[in-house]
Amino acid sequence: MTPVAASADLDVRQHNYSAGPGALPPEVVEEVRNELPVYPGLGASIMEVSHRSPEYTAIHQRAGARMKSLLGMGDDWHVLFLQGGASMQFHQVPLNFLPEGGVADYLDTGAWSAKAVKEAEVVGRMRGATVRVIASGKDGNYSAIPDASSWDLSPNAAYLHVTSNNTIFGTQLAYEPDVDVPLVCDVSSDFLSRPMDIDRYGLIYAGAQKNIGPAGVTAVLVKDAFLQTRQPDLPTILDYGTHAAKLFNTPPVFAIYIVDKVLGWIERNGGLAGMVERNAAKSDRLYGALDATEFYRPTVELGSRSSMNVCFRLPSEDLEAQFIAQAKGEGLRANTHVTCI
Ligand SMILES: Cc1ncc(COP(=O)(O)O)c(C=O)c1O
């Protein structure tokens, strides 16, 4: 067998501030590199074997179990690893849970929640159902999360959809909504960055590429009682029940294999409490530096600031372009749009 050439030196990896796809823990990248040609004991790469092999089944089950354990979920929760990105969940959630003639509430806190509303409205039109935006931060350019006291909640909504962290605008819900209906939450860009009061939720979903792995897999966690409220006659592949019942089709094996490793890394680094500490240390330092001068201008109001992605402006677009060029020279990678690192 031909030996595999050593790949790039991990020491040359830059500081990566991209909100998503985001950085993976270096030790995970190294472990994946080492196991890429031959998964231990398998005689082949994990990418080359059946998704029903005992080796892959163990990885799949462990990833689900780790996720549940980190979030303190009981046996009444299902963990699904789906494809189509978080964007597909914008449609799949109402398709499953918005009933004929019913109502679903949505909190509009940024570009991604607006997209979720748009897709729910498609389902609403099909079913003669109503999608209600209970509050929106749009008029203030999404620089703050509308205060919970202003939310115009429907008494009989099938669910309330919220986005816990708004990746583009750098806002984050500082609290978990206290409402009488099941919460559905897009946790794509702060998943597993802090503990959740999981009893409040019916379903949470996250594209993996921000916080827990590479692009290609979406984690969907659904409580069984909520799952049972789904609508009849759904297309098989879009019915959450299909995936809760069994491994229905070929999952994105390689992405899930890496997710499992990242979850192991979170466990070894203090679990979600450890993540809170780590995130606060980084974001407090960054906001502290930004607030210390008039030069940098954080775009988000106090109380809505994200500990995941910190958005700020400089006095002019020319200076912003210079800042980005100089940061690149210092080995700092960031998203290409000027407002967020
Ligand atoms: C909060 C949030 N929701 C949804 C999405 C869409 O995710 P995907 O690209 O996996 O469809 C993103 C992507 O950046 C996001 O940040």
Side-chain angles (χ1 to χ4, degrees):
M1 203 172 101
T2 327
V4 179
S7 50
D9 185 351
L10 291 181
D11 292 345
V12 300
R13 280 165 63 84
Q14 297 186 330
H15 297 285
N16 185 352
Y17 286 86
S18 291
L24 292 165
E27 61 231 63
V28 167
V29 174
E30 192 157 12
E31 225 182 302
V32 171
R33 174 178 72 175
N34 294 341
E35 292 179 0
L36 192 63
V38 188
Y39 184 74
L42 188 60
S45 170
I46 198 68
M47 292 182 289
E48 300 170 309
V49 299
S50 168
H51 55 288
R52 301 195 191 277
S53 63
E55 292 82 1
Y56 176 70
T57 301
I59 292 170
H60 194 98
Q61 289 177 349
R62 187 173 57 219
R66 279 180 158 158
M67 219 173 257
K68 281 171 72 164
S69 146
L70 283 165
L71 287 163
M73 288 173 160
D75 290 342
D76 55 335
W77 281 84
H78 305 275
V79 180
L80 320 176
F81 293 114
L82 305 183
Q83 299 185 58
S87 301
M88 199 169 89
Q89 296 310 305
F90 298 161
H91 186 76
Q92 197 170 350
V93 163
L95 190 70
N96 278 252
F97 297 111
L98 178 54
E100 288 287 335
V103 181
D105 282 352
Y106 278 71
L107 178 64
D108 175 26
T109 50
W112 298 110
S113 50
K115 285 182 195 222
V117 169
K118 182 167 171 255
E119 294 307 310
E121 285 172 343
V122 173
V123 178
R125 283 192 291 276
M126 275 175 3
R127 302 227 176 106
T130 306
V131 173
R132 285 193 65 242
V133 174
I134 56 148
S136 172
K138 193 173 178 191
D139 286 349
N141 196 28
Y142 296 119
S143 60
I145 308 260
D147 193 80
S149 62
S150 71
W151 299 357
D152 182 18
L153 295 160
S154 313
N156 55 347
Y159 58 86
L160 166 64
H161 181 283
V162 298
T163 311
S164 50
N165 188 75
N166 300 284
T167 325
I168 294 173
F169 291 95
T171 58
Q172 186 174 26
L173 267 167
Y175 50 87
E176 296 178 276
D178 184 10
V179 291
D180 294 333
V181 300
L183 278 173
V184 171
C185 189
D186 175 358
V187 288
S188 293
S189 57
D190 63 359
F191 191 38
L192 301 184
S193 70
R194 57 185 181 178
M196 297 177 80
D197 180 1
I198 217 63
D199 289 342
R200 297 180 189 212
Y201 298 83
L203 183 148
I204 61 177
Y205 62 89
Q209 67 272 20
K210 308 276 189 290
N211 279 30
I212 57 159
V217 63
T218 308
V220 177
L221 297 94
V222 59
K223 193 190 282 180
D224 194 61
F226 187 56
L227 179 70
Q228 300 316 326
T229 68
R230 71 196 188 282
Q231 299 307 294
D233 298 329
L234 297 165
T236 309
I237 190 85
L238 295 177
D239 179 348
Y240 291 118
T242 302
H243 304 280
K246 62 175 185 204
L247 186 61
F248 174 68
N249 68 333
T250 318
V253 164
F254 194 58
I256 296 166
Y257 153 79
I258 299 176
V259 165
D260 176 52
K261 289 200 181 297
V262 175
L263 299 177
W265 178 88
I266 294 174
E267 283 174 356
R268 291 193 300 281
N269 285 275
L272 301 192
M275 294 303 108
V276 169
E277 218 173 282
R278 203 173 249 269
N279 295 327
K282 288 190 285 184
S283 59
D284 287 353
R285 196 166 167 202
L286 199 39
Y287 284 119
L290 295 172
D291 287 334
T293 78
E294 293 288 305
F295 184 71
Y296 298 107
R297 297 182 203 154
T299 56
V300 175
E301 291 177 24
L302 287 173
S304 294
R305 286 178 170 181
S306 170
S307 61
M308 294 285 96
N309 48 301
V310 175
C311 292
F312 61 93
R313 306 280 323 228
L314 271 65
S316 72
E317 292 195 1
D318 277 356
L319 284 168
E320 285 169 347
Q322 271 185 50
F323 177 91
I324 289 168
Q326 285 179 13
K328 227 176 188 173
E330 296 295 325
L332 308 179
R333 294 185 59 83
N335 283 1
T336 48
H337 47 94
V338 293
T339 52
C340 290
I341 62 170

